[in-house]
Amino acid sequence: FRKRLTTLGRDFAIVSLIISFLKPYEYEFFEIHRAVDYIDHTLQEMFSWEHLLNNLFVAFLISACLSQFSIGVSLVYNIFYGVQTYEIVLNPMLKSKSPSDFWGRRWNVLVHNGLKNGVYKPTRKHTSSKLLAVVATFVVSGIIHEYVDYVMFHGHGSDEDVVHNFTCKKMIFFGWNGILVGLEYLIGHWTIFQWMSRTLPPIVLTALVLCSALPLAHLFTGDWIKHGYFDAMYLAEPIVVCRRE
């Protein structure tokens, strides 16, 4: 219980600091000449260091928010029901060693277990293909996240800035990450990758894993920014405000 409480305090501090840092810039610290939720970035824009860092900051924020909420709910459950729960976000942004480690063992383990039992295992059983099972799992994950965003962000007005329509952005994002995990299974045994795994510092491996997904991360995070999710968080977290007189 004490460890969970400490982790919850850590997540509150991280979320508060990141929101305090990013809110004055509308969650885009570096100026990019595309709307945050656009899908039509050029390759040059997607691989620019400004775009990558913007996506990194918001990815850290989402990871900390998810960890904060899940631990908070689990603590309430522990107190009232006396049942021990497990953490579902295991520091993916700082400790992941591969795409499969990130998505399979660290980022939202609860959803991972549901997709593994509901999609991955049945698909692999009926097709005998590990690669096809991975692709099917990430496609279904993309569809689920499209639905979640629709429920979270769909407005009731006619203003285009309010209404959130069903798009394919999440399917593209998770499809790309499914390809990365599939490639890991296909070529991860190559000598160069085995050497990297044994030789490179853990933080470098994590940076490489993150960089493989960050060019398309705006497809996941952009709607969260546009539709005010973090602005709602801004009202609920202790915030440091610096003003020039």
Side-chain angles (χ1 to χ4, degrees):
F1 182 85
R2 183 177 297 178
K3 181 181 177 182
R4 293 288 181 86
L5 202 58
T6 300
T7 304
L8 181 62
R10 178 205 67 186
D11 290 337
F12 260 107
I14 292 173
V15 172
S16 296
L17 288 173
I18 296 178
I19 290 181
S20 298
F21 174 67
L22 292 181
K23 170 60 177 174
Y25 304 96
E26 296 301 323
Y27 307 100
E28 283 192 292
F29 184 77
F30 298 102
E31 184 177 354
I32 303 294
H33 300 292
R34 295 279 181 177
V36 68
D37 62 321
Y38 272 24
I39 196 173
D40 58 346
H41 290 63
T42 66
L43 284 176
Q44 182 179 356
E45 290 170 337
M46 286 193 295
F47 286 96
S48 68
W49 64 269
E50 297 96 338
H51 177 76
L52 296 177
L53 286 178
N54 281 343
N55 286 348
L56 178 65
F57 295 151
V58 180
F60 261 109
L61 180 56
I62 291 178
S63 177
C65 286
L66 182 59
S67 178
Q68 178 192 66
F69 291 154
S70 61
I71 291 177
V73 171
S74 71
L75 283 175
V76 172
Y77 199 82
N78 296 158
I79 292 170
F80 284 98
Y81 297 98
V83 176
Q84 181 66 38
T85 60
Y86 59 86
E87 292 185 40
I88 66 171
V89 182
L90 303 174
N91 208 353
M93 302 299 295
L94 294 176
K95 292 189 175 181
S96 298
K97 302 299 184 294
S98 67
S100 63
D101 184 40
F102 184 99
W103 294 109
R105 291 181 285 275
R106 296 190 177 278
W107 181 278
N108 204 340
V109 177
L110 180 64
V111 171
H112 162 75
N113 288 337
L115 289 170
K116 182 176 181 180
N117 292 319
V119 182
Y120 178 84
K121 287 183 177 180
T123 304
R124 189 168 184 185
K125 178 180 178 181
H126 287 91
T127 65
S128 300
S129 170
K130 186 175 184 178
L131 181 60
L132 184 58
V134 168
V135 173
T137 301
F138 276 89
V139 168
V140 172
S141 180
I143 294 172
I144 291 173
H145 282 84
E146 292 281 3
Y147 174 74
V148 168
D149 277 14
Y150 182 82
V151 172
M152 288 174 60
F153 303 134
H154 186 69
H156 300 287
S158 59
D159 190 340
E160 291 183 359
D161 290 333
V162 175
V163 177
H164 176 80
N165 296 314
F166 189 90
T167 67
C168 61
K169 288 184 284 189
K170 304 301 181 295
M171 294 183 65
I172 295 173
F173 174 74
F174 282 99
W176 169 247
N177 284 280
I179 291 173
L180 292 176
V181 174
L183 288 173
E184 180 187 341
Y185 290 152
L186 290 175
I187 64 176
H189 63 280
W190 286 8
T191 303
I192 180 62
F193 297 118
Q194 291 298 311
W195 174 86
M196 291 170 64
S197 179
R198 293 191 306 267
T199 307
L200 295 180
I203 191 64
V204 175
L205 289 175
T206 302
L208 292 173
V209 172
L210 296 179
C211 284
S212 67
L214 285 177
L216 295 179
H218 63 285
L219 300 178
F220 183 87
T221 63
D223 289 322
W224 290 51
I225 297 173
K226 176 184 176 182
H227 294 281
Y229 179 88
F230 299 120
D231 287 334
M233 289 292 302
Y234 178 82
L235 301 176
E237 301 283 344
I239 300 298
V240 177
V241 179
C242 298
R243 296 181 182 273
R244 286 185 177 181
E245 297 294 341

